[in-house]
Amino acid sequence: MAKGKVFLVGAGPGNPGLITVRGRELLQIADLVLYDGLVNPLILRWAHCPCEKTARTRRHGQQVVSQETINQRMISEAEQGRTVVRLKGGDPYIFGRGSEEAEALANAGIDYEVVPGITAATGAAEFAGFSFTHRKAASAVAFVTGHEDPTKECSRLDFEALAEFPGTLVFYMGLNRIHDICAKLIESGMPQSTPAAVICRASLPDQKVAVGSLHSLPEFVDSRHLKAPSLIVVGDCVTLREDRPWFEKGTLFGLNIGITRPNDQCDEIVQKIVQRSGNPVPMPLIKISPIEADEASDLQKVIGSLQNYNWLIFTSTNGVSAFFDHLWNGGGDLRCLHSLKIAAIGTATAAEVQRRMIRVDVVPGQFRAEALAAELAPLVRNQRVLWARASRGRDVLPARLRDAGADVDEIVVYRNEDVEQFDPGALEMIRSGDLHWIGLSSPSIARQFVKLVQAADLKPAELRTKIATISPVTTAALSECGFSVAAEADTFTWDGIIEAIEKTTASA
């Protein structure tokens, strides 16, 4: 058997958009991902294989995995012919022990490649508003470990030399030793008034920055209960920081927002929230599944008689995708639709149709069944209408079209099913109040949310998570169950939900 290959990939400082193009490509072809505890789980969405955490320090009760165990796992998997991505926070070789892993792979005869990443210092600086080498502040920058190898007999750090360094000092992994680091720099001759800062959770929506001096910073950090991961910055560049850097001006900065769509359909929403400096929390409440064999057989019969219909209606992007999959798998193609006019419930659904080079004839001004029915009513009298639908949903559309004189057939093209429990991490965030918002994009998702809240023994009045809904119908489904809604979309899409959250947050 041919041996596989290991890729030591830098994941960047935390923000999922900061992984390299090469890193993302490798995640998509990997057979196994072994990722550090500080890697943002959102980055793993690009992987289509098992992903295992390999934390080397204990945090939040997670299991500790030794470096030797990680090395042996990479070697073993590669010897079995697998492609392994070793995903490391920041850059693999900048205080990341990537060189030790490369050495172990080389000694075992395993082929490997190193993919550089944005190291924590540069990512933290630019997301926090510092320029380490600003012309007014410094012509040099030094990266220094604040946590040396505990097996060393003595420190290799020369604090006298560091105190005289003509530029910016950046200490990695030094928060737990900040009192000692600042004291040693002062003892070595650096003025205690030297500007200094701590950056925590760099490039993430809960990023925090504390600014002071070598003398004041340690006590300030203690009083604010700042925690790792963090960096200590020492130098005049600290005084040139903007009052509110670009990242912190994002309209969703500091907000954790629950996305309840199916996992494989929320990438675009994740990106939009990240671009606004928010933290998306995927927590699907429904799943999309194929229809049963007997349903598929009935569907193929209908597809075989498309020429007998005048109109084809789509009310979701899932319905569009599933319908065309069934059409193709049954031996048909776009020519089967030549006699049909097409209606879509909204712009997103219409875009999914148009992506197949088919023009949509009717899209209502409001993206809801009532509006679509009103638009179609004068057009479908005495005509045959086919609705490609989910296994469940509101029956407003067919009822009103039949009242308008249409002959309506309904075909189920995909199954819409409930997820039976909250994602454990999301549930903990709801309990603690750390999930600031949750978006609910249909009445069925809203009802499932209510069901799971009740199953978790949570009461509506106790929830600190604010709810944003996609439409008045979704709001009504929640209100009937005693839940209050903090924001409602004007445009009945996920973009509308995000805009409603932005508007409500800005006016608070």
Side-chain angles (χ1 to χ4, degrees):
M1 176 189 297
K3 290 183 179 179
K5 187 172 181 177
V6 176
F7 296 87
L8 306 177
V9 178
N15 187 293
L18 298 185
I19 191 169
T20 62
V21 173
R22 178 61 172 159
R24 180 171 175 172
E25 288 173 351
L26 292 171
L27 285 174
Q28 293 172 331
I29 66 169
D31 298 313
L32 174 68
V33 176
L34 301 174
Y35 67 100
D36 274 348
L38 294 181
V39 169
N40 189 335
L42 288 174
I43 295 174
L44 303 176
R45 297 182 61 79
W46 290 309
H48 306 289
C49 64
C51 300
E52 299 179 13
K53 183 181 284 188
T54 59
R56 292 197 303 267
T57 57
R58 191 175 300 281
R59 184 179 285 112
H60 305 307
Q62 63 192 13
Q63 183 179 359
V64 175
V65 183
S66 70
Q67 184 64 60
E68 179 61 26
T69 299
I70 295 169
N71 293 350
Q72 289 304 314
R73 184 70 191 284
M74 290 189 295
I75 292 168
S76 173
E77 293 291 334
E79 286 178 337
Q80 296 176 60
R82 296 190 178 94
T83 297
V84 180
V85 167
R86 172 74 173 120
L87 193 61
K88 304 175 71 65
D91 178 271
Y93 278 17
I94 305 295
F95 303 125
R97 300 186 72 173
S99 55
E100 297 172 41
E101 296 176 352
E103 183 180 8
L105 294 167
N107 290 339
I110 301 299
D111 191 18
Y112 69 90
E113 177 184 322
V114 181
V115 180
I118 296 175
T119 188
T122 55
E126 289 162 36
F127 273 71
F130 293 112
S131 172
F132 291 155
T133 56
H134 193 295
R135 292 177 66 184
K136 295 180 180 179
S139 296
V141 58
F143 295 163
V144 187
T145 180
H147 181 77
E148 292 185 271
D149 185 344
T151 64
K152 290 180 183 177
E153 293 184 4
C154 60
S155 173
R156 292 182 183 174
L157 294 181
D158 184 340
F159 275 89
E160 290 187 1
L162 291 174
E164 295 179 359
F165 182 73
T168 304
L169 299 177
V170 183
F171 289 86
Y172 282 65
M173 304 171 291
L175 191 65
N176 292 335
R177 297 187 58 242
I178 189 169
H179 286 267
D180 185 47
I181 290 170
C182 291
K184 284 185 175 179
L185 288 172
I186 293 171
E187 290 169 7
S188 299
M190 184 173 278
Q192 63 178 11
S193 60
T194 302
V198 167
I199 308 169
C200 296
R201 302 277 294 169
S203 80
L204 296 171
D206 55 349
Q207 171 181 289
K208 291 182 173 59
V209 181
V211 176
S213 66
L214 277 182
H215 173 71
S216 66
L217 188 63
E219 296 300 331
F220 188 34
V221 167
D222 289 346
S223 68
R224 293 188 64 179
H225 307 291
L226 298 182
K227 297 179 180 179
S230 62
L231 294 153
I232 303 169
V233 181
V234 180
D236 290 339
C237 74
V238 169
T239 63
L240 300 175
R241 179 179 187 252
E242 303 170 48
D243 289 338
R244 193 180 175 207
W246 65 270
F247 180 57
E248 296 175 16
K249 292 177 182 177
T251 54
L252 300 178
F253 178 73
L255 297 180
N256 299 319
I257 301 172
I259 305 173
T260 52
R261 292 193 73 183
N263 250 334
D264 59 351
Q265 297 179 6
C266 64
D267 283 352
E268 185 177 350
I269 304 164
V270 165
Q271 285 184 309
K272 288 179 178 178
I273 292 173
V274 169
Q275 288 165 0
R276 292 162 172 79
S277 303
N279 180 42
V281 182
M283 47 176 298
L285 297 189
I286 63 168
K287 57 184 177 182
I288 303 302
S289 305
I291 58 178
E292 302 291 341
D294 57 339
E295 293 174 308
S297 177
D298 293 340
L299 173 57
Q300 287 301 333
K301 293 176 184 177
V302 174
I303 288 178
S305 61
L306 288 175
Q307 70 278 3
N308 296 326
Y309 293 92
N310 306 103
W311 284 88
L312 176 59
I313 300 176
F314 295 108
T315 51
S316 71
T317 57
N318 289 317
V320 176
S321 298
F323 174 85
F324 282 100
D325 284 346
H326 287 293
L327 176 65
W328 180 262
N329 293 336
D333 56 31
L334 298 186
R335 290 171 294 182
C336 299
L337 309 182
H338 71 93
S339 63
L340 291 168
K341 290 186 176 180
I342 309 291
I345 198 167
T347 52
T349 304
E352 190 67 20
V353 176
Q354 291 163 356
R355 194 168 65 83
R356 293 163 172 81
M357 306 302 291
I358 301 173
R359 298 188 187 279
V360 175
D361 299 284
V362 173
V363 181
Q366 287 192 322
F367 308 156
R368 53 189 301 189
E370 289 84 352
L372 180 57
E375 290 266 359
L376 286 173
L379 305 175
V380 297
R381 182 175 179 80
N382 297 323
Q383 301 217 335
R384 293 198 68 191
V385 175
L386 181 62
W387 176 28
R389 61 170 298 171
S391 57
R392 62 179 181 179
R394 301 169 65 222
D395 292 323
V396 171
L397 180 62
R400 295 198 177 183
L401 294 182
R402 288 177 183 124
D403 288 344
D407 180 6
V408 181
D409 287 338
E410 305 172 38
I411 51 168
V412 173
V413 294
Y414 70 96
R415 302 200 66 78
N416 178 321
E417 300 172 322
D418 292 331
V419 170
E420 294 304 320
Q421 60 182 8
F422 280 125
D423 173 87
L427 177 58
E428 181 55 36
M429 293 179 75
I430 293 173
R431 289 190 188 280
S432 64
D434 291 332
L435 188 67
H436 304 110
W437 285 89
I438 184 169
L440 302 176
S441 53
S442 72
S444 61
I445 288 178
R447 285 188 285 271
Q448 183 61 7
F449 172 73
V450 171
K451 178 182 174 182
L452 295 185
V453 165
Q454 293 170 340
D457 200 25
L458 296 167
K459 294 179 173 53
E462 297 173 352
L463 288 183
R464 286 179 284 169
T465 298
K466 295 178 181 178
I467 299 173
T469 63
I470 200 168
S471 66
V473 176
T474 307
T475 298
L478 283 164
S479 300
E480 291 169 4
C481 300
F483 288 76
S484 60
V485 172
E488 182 182 281
D490 293 326
T491 304
F492 304 154
T493 62
W494 258 99
D495 282 348
I497 291 177
I498 293 173
E499 290 167 5
I501 292 173
E502 289 176 320
K503 186 185 302 182
T504 303
T505 301
S507 63

